[in-house]
Amino acid sequence: MRFSEEEYKLPFFLENGYVRKRCPRCGEFFWTLNPDQVLCGESNTYGCADYTFIGHSPVNRAYSLAEMRETFLSFFERRGHRRIKPYPIVARWRDDLYFTNASIIDFQPYVTEGIIPPPANPLVISQPCVRFPDLENVGPTFGRHLTIFEMGGHHAFNYPDKEVYWKDETVRYHHEFVTKELGVKPEHVVYKEGVWSGGGNAGPDVESIIGGLEVATLVFMKYKVVGEEFIELPIRTVDTGYGIERFTWLSQGSISCFHAVYGKLLHKIMGLAGLSSVDENLLADFARFSGLISISKTVGRGENWRRIASRLNMDAAELQRIINPIVDVFAIIDHTKCLAFMLAEGVVPSNVEEGYLARLLIRRTYRLLRNLGIESLMPDIVDMQVAYWSKDFPHLMDMRDEILELLRIEIEKYEQTLQRGREFVRRLIRDFRARGESEIPVGKLVELYDSHGLTPEVVSEIASSEGFAINVPEGFYSFVTEKHVSSSRAAFKMAEEIEDLGIDVSGLPETKPLYYEDAYMREFTAKVLRVSGNRVILDRTAFYPEGGGQPADHGFLEFNGVRAKVYDVRKASGNVIVHFVKDSTPIEGSIVRGVIDWDRRIRLMRHHTATHLIMGAARRVLGEHVWQAGAQKDVDMSRLDITHPKRLSRDEINRIEELANEAVMRNMLVEIFWMPREEAEQRYGFRLYQGGVVPGREIRVVKTGDWEVEACGGTHCRSTGEVGLIKIMRTERIQDGVERIVFSAGLPALRMVQEAEARIAKAAELLEVPAEKIDVTLERVVGEWKSLRRERERLMERLAKIMAGEFSSSAKSVDRFRIISRLLSTREADVELLIKISNEIVRLSPNAIVIFVVTDGDARAIVRVGAEALKSGINAAEIAREIGRVLGGGGSGKPDFAQAGGVKIDSAPKALEEAESIIYRIVAGE
C-alpha cells in the first residue's frame, strides 16, 4: 500500500525548501534540500548510496551510547515530554508477541485504542527492544541490523477532543534534534516516505536518512489493521523510533556500530578470537558499502559480496575469508548481550514460545564461537556483557548467577545434542544416498533443527565428513525465527473469548457477580431473566463461572418447592453468566434461591490461594526466572506449571513445600481489589501477569501479604491460614523448560498424607519390619531380586542354547535353507525364551528361518530370519503379517525379526503351513 502525496506534503518541507523526488533505483519518494539529488541517499541492497559518515561524522562530537540516550531523553524533556522508564523486553502484557520490538509496543493496544490513558502525554522513552527476523543480517551489515537495540521514542496520543501534536510538529522536533542538538547540517538530512504496519496498527511514516544511514522512523499511526483493511482510529498516535545505537555510530563515524557501542569490550573479544590485528583500512572501505550486504528478497547476499569485492578490486572469496571472522565476532557480541537481557527476565531456553528463540540464539552463538575455536568462552563473554551493561541496567547484575546457570544448563544440553545428533545425521545421509537423492531439502533441515537441535552448519559439517555436500540455505535462521516471533498463544483480544453457550443473551444486562462481593456467600436470591432449554440467566449470582483455571461452582436453584441441580456455570458475551441445570427450570421473571455447594467452593478457594503461595515459594527457592506457565485447580488436587530449565530435585520440592506451608502459618491477609491497569503495573510490575494477560481497563489484584501479587479473577480465602496443609504429591516434566507441580491443599491434602502413611504401614507389615526401616529393607530386597533376575537370565541363555540345538536337529531342509517351525504351548516355553532360542539358532545357522507359534488364551508367533536367508528375499515381517491374518489378528516387525498374534487358536497349525508355503514359493522363484 502507498499513501497519497498529501499525507507527506508537510508545511515544514514546503517552508524550508525541500523538494519531493522519486528514487529511480528503489522506487521510493523522498524529500531533499538538494534539487540535483537523484537517488534517495539510503545505503541499501539497491545500492542507492554508500555510508559517507564512516571516518567523517556529520555530528558535532562523538557520543557514547549512554550519552546519546541521555541527550535524546533530555531534549524531549525540555520540550514538555515526560520521561518514562523502559518496559521489560519480554512483552508479558501482550498475548500476540513474545518480545518488545518497538517502543510503541508498550502502549498497544490499551492506550492506542483508548482503553486506558497513557502514562503521560506526550512522553519520551528509550526502550530496549529485541528483533529476530533480521538475525542473519546482524554482523554483515556492520551494525545496521541488531538483535537487541534501544529505540528512542517520543509519543503523542491525539484524541478527538485533545490534539497534542501530529505530523508537522513531529518532523520539526526531529529536525531540531539532529541539526541543533547534534549539529548535523540540514542539507545532509533526507526524509524518505514510507508505510509502517505493526502490532495491529498502521500509518504513513517518514524515515530520516543521514550519511546513507536510516537513523529514525517517524510513524503517524492512524489505522487499525483488520485483515487487509485499514480502519481509521479515533486516536491518532505519533510513534517515533530513533535508533540510539545508530545515532551513536553516526556521531563517532566508526568502522562499525559495534565499535561505537561496545568499544573496549569488542576489542577484548576480538583478542580472544585471535583477531587483534586486522586491516582497519580495508574494514573501513568495506563498511562504507556494507549496506549492500543484507539478505534481500531481490538480491542474494552472494551477489552483493561480489559487487563489493569488485568495488574494492578484490576477489570475493578472499574478501569473505578476511571479513567473515570479524562479522562472526560482531554477531557474537550482539547475541551475547541479547542473551544476557533475555535470561535476566526469566526466559528459560526450551522448544516452545520465547524459550525457542532463546535456545536458537544460544545455539547460533555457540556455532559462531566454534567457528573461531572459542566456544568454551561463551559463559565468560555473557558475564562480560552483564558487567558492561549493569551500570545502565542494574537488574542484570542482580540476576547474574541465574543468567549464567541458565546458560550453563543449556550449553550442556546442546553439547549432548550434538553428540547424539552426529550418528543420526550419518544414518539420514545413508538413507538419502540409498534413494538416489543428492541433497537435503530445506524442510528437512528445519525439521533437523526443530526436532533434533542440529543447525544447518552442523549438518553440513557432518555431511562433508561423509562425502555428502550440503549448501546451507541463505536466510535459514530468519526463516525459522519468522515462524516463532509471534506468540502461538491465542491472538490478542480486548475481551475474553466467549464460546457460544446455546442461549441468546442479546439485550440482557451484565450479571452481577456476588462471588466478588463476598466469596463466602453460600445462599442468595435472584430474578430469572431468561431461560432456554436447561440454561438459566439470573440478574445476579454467587455461582462462580469457570475461568482462569478454576472450575465452576455447583449447587442448586430452589423455586416452587423444586430443587434443580446446577452442574455447570459459564460466562457468555457481555459478562452474562449462564447456569446449566438438571431436571427442572424456573420461569422467566420469577425469583429463585441459589444455594452454593459450599464444600466444593471452599476446596477450590483453598487450592486457588495455595497456587499463589506455591508460586511465591517456587520463585524464592529456584530463582527469579520462575514464571507460571499454566495452572488448573480442582477440589482434591491441583497443578501449577512453572518455567525451570531442569527437573526439580527432592530437596527443592521439599523446600518449596516448606515455604508454602510457612506462608500458610503466617496467616497473612489475602487482599483483593480492583485497580486501573496502568496503576497496577506501575505499583506491582509485570509479575502481575503470572496467569497470562488479563483484559480490561481495570484489573483485579490478589495480594497475599508480602508473598505474592497477581492479577487474578478467581475466588480466594480471606487469609492464608484458611488454606490449611499444602502437600506436593509429585512433579512432572510436561515439556522442555516447564515443570508441573501437582499438589493438594486442606483436608484433601491431609487425606492423601494419611493414605500414603497407610501404604507405608502395609509395606512395613509385608516386609515384617518397623516403618522407619522400610528403606533399608527394600534396598536389600531389591538387591536380592536383581541378583536373582541376573541368575535367571544366565540360566535362560544356557537353556536357549540347549533347546536351539534340539530344535535345529529336526529342521526341514529346503534347498540351502533350514526351516525350524514349531507349534508350542506356554507350558513348554514362554515367548521371552523362544526369542532367545530363535536368536541362537540364526547365530549358529545364518541360513536358518525360525517360526514359533505359541498358544494359550490366544496365539502368538515369532519369526526370525538368518542373515543369509535375508539376502535371498525372505522377509520376517511379510511372513508375520500372513500368520496374523490366519490367526485373526495382525503382524509386523523388521525384515529379520517380526511377531504376530490373533485369537484363532485352532488356526495355529494352518498358520505354520501358510508361513512355510511362503518360504517355499520364494525359494522356488530363485
Side-chain angles (χ1 to χ4, degrees):
M1 178 178 181
R2 189 190 295 275
F3 292 104
S4 69
E5 179 182 348
E6 294 304 312
E7 290 282 4
Y8 306 96
K9 191 181 286 184
L10 306 179
F12 168 80
F13 292 144
L14 303 178
E15 291 169 11
N16 289 280
Y18 276 84
V19 291
R20 186 175 188 254
K21 298 199 164 198
R22 187 170 192 174
C23 179
R25 286 192 183 169
C26 68
E28 300 297 333
F29 289 96
F30 64 95
W31 295 81
T32 177
L33 286 173
N34 181 1
D36 298 325
Q37 184 173 336
V38 176
L39 301 177
C40 67
E42 182 180 11
S43 180
N44 53 31
T45 53
Y46 296 99
C48 297
D50 299 332
Y51 290 140
T52 59
F53 68 91
I54 292 176
H56 305 89
S57 172
V59 178
N60 51 23
R61 72 174 182 86
Y63 290 78
S64 68
L65 181 69
E67 289 171 335
M68 185 59 74
R69 180 196 305 122
E70 182 55 38
T71 299
F72 169 78
L73 293 171
S74 298
F75 174 85
F76 284 97
E77 269 190 316
R78 294 194 302 271
R79 285 153 184 80
H81 295 66
R82 194 206 300 173
R83 184 185 304 209
I84 301 298
K85 289 182 179 179
Y87 281 49
I89 62 165
V90 182
R92 290 190 168 95
W93 61 95
R94 299 281 297 253
D95 261 350
D96 57 337
L97 291 173
Y98 294 127
F99 295 103
T100 306
N101 57 29
S103 59
I104 195 62
I105 295 299
D106 302 345
F107 313 110
Q108 287 177 317
Y110 291 109
V111 174
T112 57
E113 296 197 11
I115 306 300
I116 64 173
N121 196 13
L123 61 83
V124 64
I125 188 171
S126 184
Q127 174 64 50
C129 298
V130 172
R131 285 186 187 174
F132 285 95
D134 292 316
L135 188 64
E136 284 165 297
N137 287 328
V138 175
T141 59
F142 273 46
R144 184 158 66 94
H145 296 92
L146 301 170
T147 306
I148 185 167
F149 58 93
E150 287 187 53
M151 179 179 286
H154 62 93
H155 300 289
F157 305 93
N158 297 288
Y159 296 85
D161 59 347
K162 182 187 178 183
E163 181 87 3
V164 182
Y165 62 83
W166 190 226
K167 290 188 284 189
D168 189 66
E169 194 167 355
T170 300
V171 176
R172 291 180 191 273
Y173 275 139
H174 171 270
H175 202 73
E176 183 184 0
F177 176 72
V178 296
T179 58
K180 299 288 179 25
E181 191 75 21
L182 300 184
V184 178
K185 293 180 179 179
E187 59 268 26
H188 291 165
V189 186
V190 175
Y191 292 97
K192 193 174 176 181
E193 296 178 10
V195 176
W196 181 91
S197 179
N201 299 127
D205 73 50
V206 173
E207 299 157 11
S208 169
I209 316 295
I210 302 174
L213 182 66
E214 180 191 335
V215 290
T217 302
L218 315 177
V219 179
F220 308 108
M221 203 165 70
K222 54 192 288 190
Y223 298 104
K224 181 176 181 177
V225 182
V226 180
E228 298 295 318
E229 189 179 0
F230 280 24
I231 300 171
E232 195 149 350
L233 289 164
I235 300 172
R236 292 169 299 124
T237 302
V238 172
D239 169 22
T240 64
Y242 288 57
I244 303 300
E245 283 86 357
R246 291 190 184 188
F247 271 110
T248 304
W249 184 16
L250 184 77
S251 77
Q252 294 186 25
S254 55
I255 291 171
S256 77
C257 183
F258 304 101
H259 286 78
V261 172
Y262 294 94
K264 292 180 180 178
L265 181 58
L266 174 65
H267 291 297
K268 187 170 185 177
I269 297 173
M270 294 275 273
L272 293 173
L275 299 171
S276 49
S277 58
V278 295
D279 186 343
E280 296 212 346
N281 290 326
L282 174 61
L283 280 183
D285 288 340
F286 181 89
R288 292 186 184 96
F289 310 136
S290 61
L292 285 170
I293 209 71
S294 62
I295 292 175
S296 164
K297 292 181 181 178
T298 55
V299 183
R301 184 180 286 172
E303 174 59 29
N304 285 326
W305 273 102
R306 288 188 286 276
R307 287 162 64 183
I308 294 176
S310 174
R311 295 180 71 173
L312 294 174
N313 295 317
M314 288 184 69
D315 175 69
E318 176 63 13
L319 179 63
Q320 285 185 270
R321 185 191 67 78
I322 296 169
I323 297 295
N324 276 343
I326 296 161
V327 163
D328 284 352
V329 172
F330 289 165
I332 287 163
I333 201 165
D334 166 88
H335 293 0
T336 49
K337 176 189 177 183
C338 189
L339 284 170
F341 276 71
M342 289 169 70
L343 299 179
E345 291 194 14
V347 177
V348 175
S350 68
N351 287 331
V352 296
E353 301 187 347
E354 60 264 36
Y356 178 96
L357 296 168
R359 172 165 287 173
L360 181 144
L361 199 61
I362 288 172
R363 292 180 174 183
R364 185 168 195 268
T365 306
Y366 186 95
R367 192 263 303 171
L368 293 170
L369 287 163
R370 196 161 173 261
N371 290 350
L372 301 169
I374 56 172
E375 65 269 28
S376 63
L377 298 179
M378 188 171 174
D380 299 313
I381 295 172
V382 171
D383 199 14
M384 292 177 202
Q385 295 279 16
V386 170
Y388 190 81
W389 295 103
S390 288
K391 181 180 177 182
D392 294 331
F393 303 94
H395 72 285
L396 293 175
M397 189 57 72
D398 296 339
M399 290 291 290
R400 174 182 176 272
D401 291 345
E402 288 191 49
I403 292 169
L404 296 178
E405 177 64 7
L406 287 169
L407 184 64
R408 181 194 66 76
I409 292 169
E410 184 58 24
I411 291 173
E412 190 176 284
K413 287 181 182 178
Y414 186 45
E415 288 173 343
Q416 292 169 357
T417 295
L418 291 177
Q419 291 174 2
R420 292 192 304 269
R422 292 182 185 281
E423 183 52 38
F424 178 82
V425 174
R426 291 189 182 101
R427 289 199 306 271
L428 183 71
I429 289 169
R430 287 196 290 270
D431 291 343
F432 269 78
R433 277 200 175 118
R435 295 196 298 269
E437 298 179 32
S438 59
E439 64 180 37
I440 298 178
V442 173
K444 176 58 71 172
L445 290 174
V446 173
E447 180 187 329
L448 286 171
Y449 177 77
D450 280 348
S451 301
H452 303 279
L454 299 169
T455 65
E457 294 83 7
V458 169
V459 175
S460 178
E461 180 185 308
I462 299 168
S464 297
S465 68
E466 296 287 314
F468 194 88
I470 291 179
N471 293 320
V472 177
E474 205 170 72
F476 174 83
Y477 291 99
S478 298
F479 172 75
V480 170
T481 56
E482 190 174 349
K483 300 192 303 177
H484 292 271
V485 290
S486 294
S487 173
S488 60
R489 300 183 291 263
F492 192 89
K493 45 193 178 292
M494 298 303 295
E496 289 189 62
E497 191 174 301
I498 303 298
E499 61 179 311
D500 182 5
L501 299 180
I503 183 170
D504 180 17
V505 298
S506 60
L508 293 178
E510 292 185 5
T511 307
K512 187 176 183 180
L514 299 175
Y515 49 83
Y516 279 162
E517 294 182 8
D518 182 5
Y520 288 77
M521 183 182 292
R522 303 187 188 196
E523 299 178 1
F524 67 98
T525 57
K527 183 179 180 180
V528 179
L529 299 183
R530 189 161 294 172
V531 178
S532 177
N534 68 333
R535 297 158 177 81
V536 178
I537 297 173
L538 308 175
D539 65 337
R540 59 184 199 154
T541 186
F543 285 97
Y544 180 83
E546 180 181 349
Q550 180 174 323
D553 283 334
H554 293 174
F556 300 92
L557 291 182
E558 296 178 348
F559 50 92
N560 299 329
V562 175
R563 206 172 199 224
K565 182 175 177 60
V566 177
Y567 67 89
D568 196 10
V569 186
R570 300 290 183 91
K571 185 179 284 189
S573 60
N575 290 321
V576 173
I577 297 172
V578 181
H579 306 73
F580 292 76
V581 301
K582 282 184 179 178
D583 303 326
S584 182
T585 55
I587 62 172
E588 292 182 5
S590 64
I591 303 298
V592 297
R593 181 167 170 265
V595 181
I596 306 299
D597 179 343
W598 180 247
D599 184 58
R600 175 183 173 85
R601 161 70 75 79
I602 192 63
R603 289 188 187 197
L604 290 170
M605 288 165 62
R606 286 171 177 150
H607 278 94
H608 204 147
T609 304
T611 302
H612 289 216
L613 299 182
I614 293 174
M615 186 68 223
R619 192 168 63 254
R620 285 164 172 81
V621 172
L622 304 174
E624 291 295 318
H625 65 271
V626 172
W627 284 78
Q628 180 177 312
Q632 181 62 48
K633 299 85 184 176
D634 215 329
V635 291
D636 290 324
M637 196 179 294
S638 296
R639 61 173 170 81
L640 170 66
D641 301 336
I642 61 171
T643 56
H644 191 55
K646 58 184 180 179
R647 291 306 317 269
L648 295 178
S649 69
R650 173 46 57 185
D651 286 345
E652 288 169 336
I653 294 168
N654 289 344
R655 187 60 184 142
I656 292 169
E657 188 177 78
E658 288 168 9
L659 284 183
N661 279 287
E662 284 180 20
V664 170
M665 290 185 287
R666 284 174 59 188
N667 198 26
M668 295 177 285
L669 180 66
V670 178
E671 300 175 76
I672 302 175
F673 45 89
W674 294 84
M675 291 184 73
R677 173 181 295 276
E678 66 278 12
E679 186 181 332
E681 290 175 352
Q682 289 170 13
R683 182 177 300 181
Y684 300 114
F686 295 97
R687 280 274 176 198
L688 279 168
Y689 303 127
Q690 288 291 343
V693 176
V694 180
R697 166 70 178 83
E698 290 196 332
I699 59 177
R700 185 171 180 264
V701 178
V702 176
K703 184 173 181 288
T704 50
D706 58 0
W707 196 255
E708 183 74 351
V709 181
E710 296 184 24
C712 178
T715 56
H716 286 270
C717 301
R718 288 194 182 104
S719 67
T720 61
E722 293 183 16
V723 171
L725 174 67
I726 295 175
K727 179 62 185 171
I728 296 177
M729 309 309 298
R730 65 180 184 275
T731 64
E732 304 166 358
R733 192 70 165 172
I734 61 167
Q735 66 185 45
D736 195 21
V738 178
E739 283 283 283
R740 172 165 291 171
I741 298 173
V742 180
F743 67 94
S744 191
L747 287 176
L750 178 61
R751 276 199 295 274
M752 288 183 180
V753 171
Q754 290 169 339
E755 289 170 4
E757 287 177 343
R759 286 191 290 271
I760 292 170
K762 181 65 175 177
E765 182 183 335
L766 291 171
L767 293 168
E768 298 180 341
V769 296
E772 60 269 18
K773 292 186 178 180
I774 282 181
D775 54 345
V776 176
T777 306
L778 276 176
E779 192 174 345
R780 175 176 57 79
V781 169
V782 170
E784 292 172 355
W785 174 74
K786 288 180 178 178
S787 177
L788 289 170
R789 202 172 167 191
R790 286 192 296 269
E791 179 62 17
R792 176 181 177 274
E793 187 71 18
R794 187 182 65 79
L795 291 172
M796 283 186 70
E797 293 288 350
R798 288 182 61 188
L799 182 59
K801 289 180 180 179
I802 294 169
M803 295 183 73
E806 292 178 1
F807 289 166
S808 296
S809 64
S810 59
K812 300 175 185 177
S813 294
V814 181
D815 197 11
R816 66 180 185 276
F817 304 113
R818 304 178 72 228
I819 302 175
I820 297 94
S821 63
R822 285 291 186 93
L823 180 60
L824 305 153
S825 71
T826 52
R827 291 190 299 275
E828 295 173 90
D830 63 16
V831 172
E832 183 183 357
L833 177 58
L834 290 174
I835 291 173
K836 291 181 182 295
I837 293 169
S838 66
N839 288 339
E840 181 64 17
I841 290 172
V842 298
R843 187 185 69 81
L844 295 172
S845 302
N847 60 350
I849 303 144
V850 184
I851 307 166
F852 292 139
V853 178
V854 188
T855 60
D856 193 2
D858 54 9
R860 287 188 61 185
I862 296 164
V863 184
R864 188 75 167 86
V865 177
E868 292 301 319
L870 192 64
K871 290 177 183 177
S872 298
I874 297 172
N875 188 304
E878 292 177 3
I879 296 170
R881 279 195 290 272
E882 180 61 22
I883 291 173
R885 184 189 66 78
V886 174
L887 294 175
S892 64
K894 297 179 180 178
D896 62 340
F897 175 76
Q899 296 187 67
V903 295
K904 296 181 179 179
I905 300 174
D906 294 341
S907 299
K910 184 182 177 183
L912 277 178
E913 291 174 11
E914 289 292 330
E916 289 180 11
S917 68
I918 291 173
I919 299 169
Y920 293 146
R921 287 196 297 273
I922 293 172
V923 172
E926 287 189 326

